[in-house]
Amino acid sequence: MEPILDVKNLKQHFKVNRNFTVKAVDGIDFYIAPGETYGLVGESGSGKSTTGRSIIRLYDPTDGTITFCGRTISGKLSKEDRKFLHTNMQMIFQDPMACLIHAKKSWISWRKALIFTTSIQARKREQRKFTIC
């Protein structure tokens, strides 16, 4: 089965001046298969958020290949690919004061956010299936 997200050799470098470049992400590889949950864990400043921002194209990656739902989304994007990416992928920024409660099942927290941000009629909420790709 084809992965939903496939990241190969992702690099995100930031040029500070002529002599110095910060290598925030330097050659990360991973993939996420359908139905799989993936957690990117690391120390503060290790490049977790930069990786996410590069994947959703808030930053243009320095190098590497990103494939989402069979479409290559690294490099220059067409209008169609940009629209597809922006309507099918998002980054959830963590608020340390409102992060997931470990005693709750995670889908309960996500469901609350989905109900709040969608305009689905109440009786259809339980029946709706969310699909990617």
Side-chain angles (χ1 to χ4, degrees):
M1 189 176 289
E2 182 178 299
I4 292 173
L5 180 67
D6 191 10
V7 177
K8 294 180 182 171
N9 197 35
L10 179 64
K11 296 182 182 183
Q12 187 64 63
H13 299 173
F14 299 99
K15 189 169 185 146
V16 177
N17 59 39
R18 289 185 340 186
N19 300 318
F20 187 68
T21 300
V22 173
K23 295 180 179 180
V25 176
D26 198 30
I28 188 172
D29 297 295
F30 65 91
Y31 69 91
I32 303 173
E36 185 176 58
T37 301
Y38 186 85
L40 186 57
V41 180
E43 296 178 4
S44 179
S46 64
K48 302 176 300 293
S49 293
T50 301
T51 298
R53 288 181 175 111
S54 298
I55 291 169
I56 65 171
R57 300 303 303 269
L58 290 178
Y59 299 147
D60 287 326
T62 303
D63 196 12
T65 304
I66 305 165
T67 306
F68 177 61
C69 295
R71 296 180 186 214
T72 300
I73 59 168
S74 46
K76 187 163 175 67
L77 293 176
S78 67
K79 273 187 172 183
E80 180 183 321
D81 285 339
R82 188 169 294 281
K83 182 178 180 180
F84 176 79
L85 176 64
H86 291 166
T87 57
N88 289 287
M89 184 186 287
Q90 70 177 5
M91 186 169 172
I92 300 171
F93 294 94
Q94 181 180 347
D95 175 359
M97 304 312 287
C99 60
L100 297 175
I101 300 168
H102 74 281
K104 273 189 187 179
K105 292 187 181 288
S106 60
W107 70 268
I108 293 171
S109 296
W110 297 332
R111 181 176 174 265
K112 185 177 179 180
L114 290 170
I115 290 170
F116 180 76
T117 59
T118 59
S119 60
I120 302 168
Q121 295 176 0
R123 66 179 182 269
K124 292 184 179 180
R125 285 188 187 128
E126 295 298 325
Q127 298 171 349
R128 180 164 177 183
K129 293 184 179 179
F130 294 93
T131 57
I132 300 173
C133 304

